[in-house]
Amino acid sequence: MGALAGMRSLSAPALLSRALLDKHNNSLSGTPFEFLQHRYVANTLTGLAATELLGDKLPMAPDRTIAPSLLMRAASGAAVGAVVYAGRHKSIAEGAALGAVAAVAATYASFYLRKFLCKKTDIADPIIGALEDALVVASGLKAAKA
């Protein structure tokens, strides 16, 4: 989930919140992340993630590697990592650290892969972005259910 946050910062928390809502077990009871299991939160995060997916295709969208974007992705990765670890009754700090590192690594990997694919193929950047979106959503749905 942390790596997915590096690709699309809001999709990972949205998909995780949606999965938690669907499962609604007690693994997050008494943790700071219990709120993620509420329908309003899942719907809000889903709406924000959809906005991000659309905004990524705009020509004025900033590079994901600039400091504010990178920090957002790292924070999102940290959050989902912490939630996953909390749900498994493991160290929240360790989950946050691993999620943040995965997000930063995936940010750079996906950024340079997208640039490479745009340069080496005749596929337009928005199309590659849409393929990246599909990868994030499909992988996120699978990972969130696990």
Side-chain angles (χ1 to χ4, degrees), residues 104-130:
V104 170
T107 297
Y108 283 100
S110 61
F111 176 76
Y112 288 111
L113 178 60
R114 186 166 169 177
K115 281 193 162 306
F116 174 81
L117 290 173
C118 286
K119 186 176 181 179
K120 296 293 183 182
T121 68
D122 290 331
I123 303 170
D125 183 66
I127 302 298
I128 292 176

Side-chain angles (χ1 to χ4, degrees), residues 22-38:
D22 292 343
K23 280 185 183 178
H24 202 77
N25 59 34
N26 293 326
S27 64
L28 293 177
S29 294
T31 71
F33 310 111
E34 190 173 4
F35 72 97
L36 288 170
Q37 294 179 305
H38 296 289

Side-chain angles (χ1 to χ4, degrees), residues 83-109:
V83 171
V84 169
Y85 269 56
R88 295 183 177 160
H89 306 291
K90 293 184 177 184
S91 168
I92 292 173
E94 184 179 338
L98 289 172
V101 168
V104 170
T107 297
Y108 283 100

Side-chain angles (χ1 to χ4, degrees), residues 1-16 49 52-53 56-57 64 73 76 106 110 114 128-144:
M1 293 302 288
L4 297 177
M7 295 170 75
R8 295 288 181 271
S9 61
L10 294 170
S11 293
L15 291 165
L16 185 57
E52 179 185 31
L53 295 179
D56 174 65
K57 310 306 171 292
R64 63 185 82 187
R73 291 165 194 274
S76 178
S110 61
R114 186 166 169 177
I128 292 176
L131 293 171
E132 185 179 4
D133 295 343
L135 175 66
V136 168
V137 171
S139 300
L141 288 171
K142 182 99 172 150

